[in-house]
Amino acid sequence: MGAGTLIQAPPVAPPVKARALRPGRERAFWPFLLPALVAYTALFVAPSLFGFWVSLNAWAGPGSEMTWRGLDNYLALLSDDAFRTSFVNTFVLALAGGGLVFGFTFLSMMVLRHIKGRAFIRSVMFLPMIISMIAVGAAIGFLLNPEGVVNTALGWLGLDPQPWLGPDLVFRCIVGGLVWSSTGFYVALMMSAVDSIPAHIYEDAQIVGATRWEQFRHITLPLTWDVFAVSAVLWVVNSLKIFEIVLAFTTGGTPGSPPLQARTVAVQQYSLVAGNAIPQLGNAAAMGVVVLLVTAVLIALTRRITRRERVELS
Amino acid sequence: MRKLTAVLTVGALALGLTACGKKNSDPGTVQEVLTYRSSWGADEPQGKIIKALFDDFAKQSGTKVDVKFVGRKGNENLSTEMASGRGPDLFDTSTDNLATYAAQNLVAPLDDVLGAEVPGEGKTVKDVLPESVRQASSNDKGLAFVPHTVISTAVWFDAAKHPDLAGAPPQSWEDFIAYLDRAKKDGRVPIGQDGTINFYNVYWFYSVLVRAGGAGSLKALATDAAAWDRPEVLAAAQKVAQLAEGGYFQKDFMATKFPAAQDAWAQGRYDLNLNGTWLASETKPKLAAGVKIASFQLPAGGKNSVEVGTLGWGVNAKGANVTAAKKFLAFALQKKYVEQISTSALNIPSRADVPAPEHLVAVQKAVAEAAATHRTYDDAAADKTWWNDRFLPLHDKLISGKIDAAAFVAEGKKSTADYLANKN
């Protein structure tokens, strides 16, 4: 726009002067963009392309020889039960975990809005997010072991103790742990959006007799939808990288491999690159590429599903 | 001015990048210093012993040493770093890592250290290390690391509470099962098992199979699908299935998070725990008063092979100070240092002429007198992908009673065949 004005500058002005008079925004474009562009290319784009290259090879890391494998690393993934299980687990975590996290978040948005001391409750809900998974791992033993606190409490209620951390239940426990540790973050995000909705809108709704659900459905949700769309993408990205919570619930503190039933792709990748084995960077990179592609698709889908006309308050 | 800013920015970035590159690729700055990065923690007994050892070495040889204790997690990328020429001169390693490091050509062959004299003792390194201990520390290029500690596996119990076991340990599998039945009948839990740790669960199948069949009998299952058809594999699986069906482990043992079961064993709540020689020192703070730890070898018949694994120091083949590192190794084997592995770290020392702590004397004796020995996990854990993704999950199904011995063998054979067909 500014440039348009300049083009119509007096014809007497020599071209050199016209260049000097370009608006500040345009002059600043390259000097401001360049450092970021260089850093981004060097630190992200180039390593990503290199990672893709590695995924087409067998490689144990710097200093060892790279052998061309073509698409063999990808084909090997297809026939690998451990990868298939971890892949399915990752998506179950993303979808089931996401459903629960946002279910609780929406519930909190309905309930927390008019409760006394809601700032305090919000802080308490946020707390699990900042507890290190190492501490959680230590606590899990006390709580969920066959003779732990949970089973003891079940005993008081006359219920049978459960093998929580056994191969059949541990994955469900991990989903539960994930929901417990992540919900507070999304509640904090969404509630900040809820807080910016003017109180008079709810007052009007109450006057016309809207129930709490109707208030949520017709006021809260539409006016916080933008934040929800961002939260959903954040969740998808984070849930595909789930790693340390699996170790916390299973083999944390030992060099062991978690049971197949509990592994995620990130855990599977980790076991290929670390832990005193010959690093199999090619296979691990192939897993990374597959997950990156699927993440991209999922994000696109999430964006599409959450796309709505923006509702703005006048 | 604008151009100047841009040039400066790009210049600064370029300099930054060059600086990074230089730091990573130039080993020149460490030429004069013997570097060691330990997988022990500084506060562990081994960490303290090793720190004092390096201090003495520095004082007496005039070599500068740079010792860092980073713990198990701090050394996870060690092999990658060493392969790229950036690792320390000396590093911690063990029998079960031999194959990994050998495959990457990371360890300097140490056969010349065998002939070196242990300072002040008139004996060579070879003289003070028993044959089985040297063998557990060697690859096909000779000695791969110099061991300070011997590790092995045994069935552990409290001799004060079970003098019968101490006096007459079970001599056959039937004896062993009879003991388990008696314990169960008397209302005790015979075996404590941290079932969420699959590499502890597999001690049962591994011990039964390899103690009877000798070295190579488990390793074969990883490299040849046909090896699963051998009758002794099915027989070993049947013994593990017998344990699962007999209900000898504590209730819901597969859901017990480490170290709850070994801690409860230390408290006297379970009779037995099949574990490594580190068990007593690991559970020391939890041991009930008056406990007298003792052990016996799991009776499996056949060759009666005894596990011999070692922990020690390897020399980085690409390190800057290979000569100084080798000199350190002979220095470190002096009796006064190796003794502390027994007295402070409560482990079996690598030198046969240094007695083990009391509770480990039986294992040290078993190792010394064994007609046949095998290495940690019979080297079958060397292929970590097969081990972690195929074998251990399958064994977990067997020991938890989800599948029977025949299904274990059939699935193992198929899974191994699939794995080998798709392997790089």
Side-chain angles (χ1 to χ4, degrees):
Chain A
M1 297 260 282
T5 332
L6 267 184
I7 287 164
Q8 286 159 30
V12 282
V16 178
K17 202 167 180 194
R19 266 186 68 195
L21 274 180
R22 279 185 310 165
R25 202 166 73 176
E26 193 179 319
R27 273 183 286 145
F29 185 76
W30 281 108
F32 272 78
L33 182 69
L34 202 63
L37 198 66
V38 168
Y40 188 75
T41 309
L43 299 176
F44 185 77
V45 178
S48 298
L49 291 175
F50 181 67
F52 178 66
W53 172 251
V54 170
S55 79
L56 301 173
N57 290 276
W59 194 40
S64 65
E65 231 171 82
M66 225 188 237
T67 338
W68 176 253
R69 298 252 298 152
L71 291 176
D72 285 0
N73 286 335
Y74 291 92
L75 295 175
L77 289 185
L78 288 178
S79 66
D80 180 0
D81 273 346
F83 174 73
R84 272 206 305 264
T85 314
S86 67
F87 194 76
V88 171
N89 283 348
T90 306
F91 286 96
V92 172
L93 271 178
L95 297 176
L100 287 167
V101 165
F102 287 104
F104 282 122
T105 304
F106 290 152
L107 198 67
S108 311
M109 286 158 68
M110 268 198 277
V111 177
L112 276 184
R113 207 175 51 80
H114 19 222
I115 282 185
K116 244 188 178 177
R118 61 177 189 262
F120 175 74
I121 297 174
R122 233 190 279 178
S123 313
V124 171
M125 288 180 79
F126 192 77
L127 218 57
M129 183 85 195
I130 55 175
I131 299 176
S132 93
M133 274 301 145
I134 296 167
V136 173
I140 292 304
F142 299 123
L143 292 171
L144 295 181
N145 259 331
E147 295 172 353
V149 175
V150 173
N151 276 347
T152 311
L154 286 180
W156 292 333
L157 300 171
L159 298 169
D160 287 336
Q162 298 294 321
W164 299 111
L165 300 175
D168 300 328
L169 287 179
V170 67
F171 188 63
R172 278 176 240 181
C173 291
I174 291 172
V175 176
L178 190 67
V179 172
W180 167 78
S181 69
S182 330
T183 303
F185 174 73
Y186 294 96
V187 169
L189 264 186
M190 297 293 288
M191 282 307 288
S192 64
V194 173
D195 286 348
S196 65
I197 302 173
H200 69 82
I201 300 183
Y202 289 104
E203 284 158 13
D204 290 352
Q206 274 160 356
I207 289 167
V208 298
T211 61
R212 208 173 264 193
W213 164 250
E214 285 165 338
Q215 289 177 31
F216 173 77
R217 171 78 187 77
H218 298 291
I219 302 171
T220 315
L221 199 56
L223 290 176
T224 55
W225 193 260
D226 277 0
V227 182
F228 170 65
V230 173
S231 301
V233 170
L234 272 181
W235 169 261
V236 169
V237 172
N238 285 331
S239 63
L240 297 179
K241 294 191 292 192
I242 286 163
F243 169 70
E244 69 273 31
I245 194 166
V246 175
L247 298 193
F249 273 76
T250 54
T251 53
T254 76
S257 55
L260 286 185
Q261 291 89 337
R263 289 189 206 172
T264 60
V265 175
V267 170
Q268 199 61 15
Q269 270 182 309
Y270 172 73
S271 71
L272 287 178
V273 297
N276 284 329
I278 300 169
Q280 299 180 37
L281 300 183
N283 303 48
M287 283 184 196
V289 171
V290 170
V291 171
L292 181 74
L293 291 178
V294 177
T295 312
V297 170
L298 273 187
I299 290 177
L301 268 178
T302 313
R303 297 293 293 172
R304 182 147 190 94
I305 293 168
T306 55
R307 194 167 63 197
R308 300 274 160 93
E309 278 300 308
R310 193 184 153 90
V311 181
E312 278 185 57
L313 293 169
S314 52
Chain B
M1 188 62 201
R2 190 181 77 235
K3 269 187 187 160
L4 184 67
T5 320
V7 168
L8 281 178
T9 317
V10 173
L13 267 170
L15 275 176
L17 289 175
T18 341
C20 285
K22 196 161 188 182
K23 194 174 165 193
N24 287 342
S25 62
D26 180 15
T29 48
V30 293
Q31 287 285 346
E32 303 301 318
V33 187
L34 181 65
T35 55
Y36 165 64
R37 205 173 53 202
S38 183
S39 300
W40 299 103
D43 292 330
E44 285 184 277
Q46 285 87 345
K48 289 178 187 163
I49 296 169
I50 291 169
K51 172 82 175 57
L53 175 53
F54 269 94
D55 286 348
D56 285 2
F57 179 69
K59 219 180 288 165
Q60 290 181 28
S61 67
T63 311
K64 271 192 184 171
V65 294
D66 172 15
V67 183
K68 283 194 183 70
F69 293 91
V70 295
R72 318 286 186 278
K73 291 279 168 194
N75 260 344
E76 272 175 350
N77 294 318
L78 184 68
S79 54
T80 311
E81 284 179 54
M82 291 203 298
S84 64
R86 289 185 293 124
D89 298 315
L90 279 159
F91 60 98
D92 295 298
T93 184
S94 56
T95 307
D96 52 345
N97 288 326
L98 275 172
T100 309
Y101 288 127
Q104 295 174 275
N105 290 318
L106 296 180
V107 284
L110 297 177
D111 268 357
D112 48 344
V113 177
L114 284 175
E117 195 190 318
V118 179
E121 297 192 16
K123 290 181 191 164
T124 64
V125 168
K126 190 178 178 182
D127 293 337
V128 300
L129 297 176
E131 212 264 321
S132 62
V133 171
R134 273 183 275 131
Q135 205 271 331
S137 318
S138 300
N139 58 25
D140 54 4
K141 288 184 183 154
L143 193 70
F145 66 91
V146 168
H148 49 70
T149 300
V150 169
I151 51 171
S152 186
T153 304
V155 184
W156 304 91
F157 65 96
D158 174 8
K161 214 170 164 184
H162 305 286
D164 50 328
L165 277 178
Q171 294 300 315
S172 66
W173 181 257
E174 291 69 33
D175 274 3
F176 181 64
I177 294 290
Y179 173 81
L180 301 180
D181 283 330
R182 273 200 310 280
K184 219 176 127 184
K185 210 171 131 216
D186 294 345
R188 300 196 305 272
V189 176
I191 307 169
Q193 185 74 28
D194 277 306
T196 49
I197 306 300
N198 50 19
F199 63 83
Y200 280 171
N201 293 341
V202 85
Y203 269 152
W204 290 101
F205 179 76
Y206 149 67
S207 297
V208 171
L209 180 71
V210 184
R211 276 189 42 69
S217 44
L218 180 63
K219 171 81 178 171
L221 299 185
T223 51
D224 175 15
W228 286 83
D229 289 330
R230 287 176 301 132
E232 34 306 8
V233 177
L234 180 67
Q238 280 164 341
K239 287 181 172 135
V240 177
Q242 191 181 2
L243 293 176
E245 286 158 18
Y248 302 121
F249 302 112
Q250 84 274 15
K251 188 174 183 302
D252 288 334
F253 72 97
M254 285 301 285
T256 305
K257 194 172 193 298
F258 175 85
Q262 67 176 39
D263 284 351
W265 165 83
Q267 289 285 310
R269 293 185 41 218
Y270 315 133
D271 284 10
L272 309 174
N273 188 265
L274 178 61
N275 216 314
T277 38
W278 53 82
L279 180 68
S281 57
E282 214 170 79
T283 53
K284 203 176 168 203
K286 305 283 170 68
L287 285 178
V291 169
K292 191 169 174 283
I293 304 247
S295 71
F296 59 85
Q297 292 289 308
L298 186 71
K303 290 190 177 165
N304 214 11
S305 181
V306 177
E307 177 191 302
V308 185
T310 50
L311 312 176
W313 299 283
V315 175
N316 179 358
K318 295 184 179 176
N321 297 300
V322 173
T323 318
K326 287 181 175 175
K327 211 169 133 198
F328 166 82
L329 295 176
F331 180 89
L333 276 190
Q334 291 174 71
K335 208 168 185 178
K336 59 180 176 185
Y337 298 122
V338 178
E339 263 168 357
Q340 295 175 40
I341 294 294
S342 176
T343 54
S344 302
L346 303 179
N347 270 297
I348 303 173
S350 56
R351 285 179 62 147
D353 56 355
V354 177
E358 200 191 339
H359 68 277
L360 292 172
V361 167
V363 182
Q364 192 180 34
K365 195 163 160 256
V367 167
E369 293 173 359
T373 59
H374 57 269
R375 311 208 292 194
T376 314
Y377 288 129
D378 194 29
D379 291 338
D383 185 342
K384 300 269 175 180
T385 308
W386 177 81
W387 182 251
N388 284 325
D389 292 358
R390 308 270 170 164
F391 183 62
L392 293 185
L394 179 62
H395 180 271
D396 267 3
K397 286 204 250 174
L398 176 70
I399 201 169
S400 61
K402 281 214 157 75
I403 55 172
D404 63 12
F408 172 77
V409 169
E411 279 189 38
K413 186 181 179 187
K414 185 180 174 297
S415 176
T416 304
D418 286 351
Y419 172 70
L420 294 174
N422 284 302
K423 203 176 161 187
N424 284 1

